[in-house]
Amino acid sequence: MLRVVVCGSGIVGLASAYAAAAAGHRVVLVERDGAELPADVTAAWRTWHRPGVPHARQVHSYAVGVVDLLMRLVPGTAPELRGAGAEWLPWTGPVTFPLARHEVLRARRTTLELCLARVVRRSTVEWHRGVRVTSLRVARGPGGTDRVAGVATPAGDLDADLVVDCTGHASRLQDHPAIGADKLFRPSGIQYVTTWFTTGSTGDPVLRGVRSDEGHVYCAATGADHGMVSATAVLAENDPLFRTVMTRPGMIALLSSLPAVDDYLRAARAVPTGRPSASRRVGNSRGALLAENAGRIDGLVAVGDAAVSTNPVLARGIVLGLRQVAHLVDALTGAGSVSEITAGYLARLRDGVLPWFEESTRYDRALSARLARHAGTGRDEPFDPVFEPYDAVAEASRHDPAVASAAIAYGQTIGEPGDLVRQVSRWLARRGPSPTSDRATTTTNRSVVAAAVRLAAPTNSERGQTS
């Protein structure tokens, strides 16, 4: 039995702690947030402050990959979610996967995290809330190798054989001199604006949602638990439209200008609630432990954003984190010594997770360049043809079922990272040169938004009201 300290209790930290305890180890979970768990999902949504979770109230829907991994790693989560009002749908996509479950989960992130936390609280995991890890404790092992001794906190030291870093891409645990490498962050050039609605209509069509790709903006709207619907616009980082859609009238005007989204919200009888919220500094990150020149500390592993994270434009942030938890479980059950566990887990990340980081960076460069061109903020230099397959994913998915299937698998990190590009490249070869440009359509859509915003602009008496 190993002494395991898991640092950070976001979704991936909770899953890591539960899975390590289920494997028979003594687990201590350390979380800097000292607030008690909310009483219910409504309180979690309204009052749960999660400073270390940048997308806590952005859109979250969970497809087959997340559901399959979560139910395998933390099986008690399913009944907890059902009791909390989360919505489950059968998978109706154009492809089936070699998974045990084919279901889609619709729930706000705060709902999922609260339900997962309740399951962990009932387990053998020893949970210390309101405790901040200040540093990693390292000792010399046999043969002069560095090994984990535990972590230091203001409340005292915690001894450990294995420290699991789940503190996100801002982690300080990997700054130890023995690692001697830097973390890497590649900005995506993309920003997100989300607004939420209450609905007067529920059921399958509302829960399944809709997507729109009109050239100047990518938008997704989807149902969640308790009659909530979210709509998120994806914009280039310097798009002047950003300031407009950060107002409720501006965001509603944008959504109304997108026919598919407008029809969906009308059918759902959606009523906006609250102000739009933004996630701006998003991108792809790789922890120092995975740098080519990184030294190794036996007993230190990173999971989730502390190891590898990707821009969530394809909704694969949590599935990628849970896949890392699954790799950790495999390493814990397939090796004997702490040194073997550390080496085995790092090898699994380099082979099975790091390629998604590289692939996502290429996808982001193409997507952000396209959004910037249509927003009028991009440079006039020719578009690099290396990124053409990534740029054409949305168009190809509409015309080729094979590409649509590959895009779904890509978003769920199923298969190989290059599968999607190969499918789109085949479609591009069959299609030949693009016959038309969508610049005129883009200009028209942006003009519609600008006009609608002027009409919907609040009066002076309304500007001081809480939205």
Side-chain angles (χ1 to χ4, degrees), residues 37 47 75 81 85 99 157 159 226 242 260 282 316 335 353 377 380 385 387 448:
L37 292 181
T47 65
L81 283 164
L99 303 175
D157 292 346
D159 296 334
H226 291 266
F242 174 80
V282 294
R316 66 161 173 246
V353 175
T377 61
D380 293 331
F387 299 105
V448 168

Side-chain angles (χ1 to χ4, degrees), residues 24 36 88 116 147 166 217 231 234 250 260 269 288 308 320 352-353 368-369 381 418 422 463:
E36 290 297 318
W88 298 79
L116 187 55
R147 64 171 179 83
C166 299
V217 62
V234 183
R269 302 200 301 276
V308 172
L320 191 65
V353 175
S368 61
E381 62 186 43
R422 284 189 285 272
R463 292 182 193 277

Side-chain angles (χ1 to χ4, degrees), residues 134 232 382 447:
T134 56
T232 293
S447 299

Side-chain angles (χ1 to χ4, degrees), residues 250-274:
M251 186 64 168
I252 299 304
L254 171 63
L255 299 175
S256 299
S257 76
L258 306 172
V261 178
D262 185 50
D263 290 346
Y264 167 80
L265 293 175
R266 288 178 183 275
R269 302 200 301 276
V271 177
T273 177

Side-chain angles (χ1 to χ4, degrees), residues 26-396:
R26 179 188 170 191
V27 179
V28 175
L29 176 60
V30 182
E31 167 59 44
R32 69 177 180 180
D33 181 6
E36 290 297 318
L37 292 181
D40 53 41
V41 296
T42 300
W45 176 250
R46 291 177 178 172
T47 65
W48 201 5
H49 182 49
R50 302 291 288 125
V53 181
H55 309 296
R57 283 165 180 79
Q58 298 294 308
V59 58
H60 279 89
S61 59
Y62 310 99
V64 288
V66 173
V67 173
D68 180 74
L69 281 165
L70 189 60
M71 297 309 109
R72 284 194 287 121
L73 293 167
V74 192
T77 308
E80 192 71 47
L81 283 164
R82 294 186 192 280
E87 302 283 356
W88 298 79
L89 299 170
W91 173 248
T92 59
V95 62
T96 57
F97 302 107
L99 303 175
R101 303 174 70 111
H102 274 76
E103 293 177 291
V104 177
L105 172 64
R106 291 290 186 261
R108 292 165 289 182
R109 183 200 164 104
T110 51
T111 298
L112 175 57
E113 188 170 343
L114 177 60
C115 291
L116 187 55
R118 287 172 172 171
V119 175
V120 172
R121 191 167 56 181
R122 293 195 299 266
S123 73
T124 61
V125 173
E126 182 183 329
W127 198 345
H128 295 187
R129 301 184 65 81
V131 176
R132 180 173 56 90
V133 173
T134 56
S135 63
L136 183 72
R137 294 167 48 226
V138 177
R140 283 286 177 179
T145 59
D146 291 304
R147 64 171 179 83
V148 159
V151 296
T153 79
D157 292 346
L158 293 173
D159 296 334
D161 305 302
L162 183 70
V163 171
V164 184
D165 180 6
C166 299
T167 59
H169 59 74
S171 167
R172 299 291 185 183
L173 291 177
Q174 299 173 54
D175 294 343
H176 195 278
I179 296 173
D182 294 326
K183 65 187 71 171
L184 178 64
F185 180 79
R186 293 175 180 166
S188 66
I190 298 167
Q191 55 191 349
Y192 301 81
V193 180
T194 295
T195 195
W196 286 83
F197 301 81
T198 57
T199 61
S201 175
T202 58
D204 193 277
V206 173
L207 291 170
R208 290 197 183 278
V210 67
R211 294 186 180 187
S212 174
D213 186 350
E214 297 289 337
H216 67 297
V217 62
Y218 172 89
C219 182
T222 186
D225 57 296
H226 291 266
M228 299 289 288
V229 163
S230 66
T232 293
V234 183
L235 306 169
E237 63 179 353
N238 296 319
D239 193 332
L241 194 60
F242 174 80
R243 294 185 65 181
T244 300
V245 298
M246 279 300 292
T247 67
R248 182 192 284 184
M251 186 64 168
I252 299 304
L254 171 63
L255 299 175
S256 299
S257 76
L258 306 172
V261 178
D262 185 50
D263 290 346
Y264 167 80
L265 293 175
R266 288 178 183 275
R269 302 200 301 276
V271 177
T273 177
R275 294 186 177 93
S277 61
S279 287
R280 305 195 70 177
R281 193 175 183 270
V282 294
N284 305 284
S285 64
R286 185 224 65 211
L289 280 172
L290 287 172
E292 290 186 2
N293 63 332
R296 197 178 88 198
I297 300 175
D298 284 340
L300 176 63
V301 297
V303 182
D305 290 357
V308 172
S309 69
T310 65
N311 171 30
V313 71
L314 288 170
R316 66 161 173 246
I318 290 178
V319 73
L320 191 65
L322 291 176
R323 202 163 294 285
Q324 294 175 54
V325 179
H327 286 314
L328 177 62
V329 172
D330 289 342
L332 284 170
T333 57
S337 68
V338 171
S339 179
E340 291 172 336
I341 292 169
T342 308
Y345 175 69
L346 289 174
R348 286 173 171 86
L349 287 195
R350 289 193 174 97
D351 293 342
V353 175
L354 199 55
W356 292 102
F357 164 79
E358 300 294 345
E359 188 79 1
S360 185
T361 299
R362 299 185 189 101
Y363 187 96
D364 281 354
R365 286 187 62 182
L367 178 60
S368 61
R370 175 166 64 83
L371 293 173
R373 288 199 308 275
H374 292 307
T377 61
R379 291 176 293 183
D380 293 331
E381 62 186 43
F383 180 65
D384 189 340
V386 170
F387 299 105
E388 185 178 13
Y390 301 92
D391 193 52
V393 167
E395 182 186 1

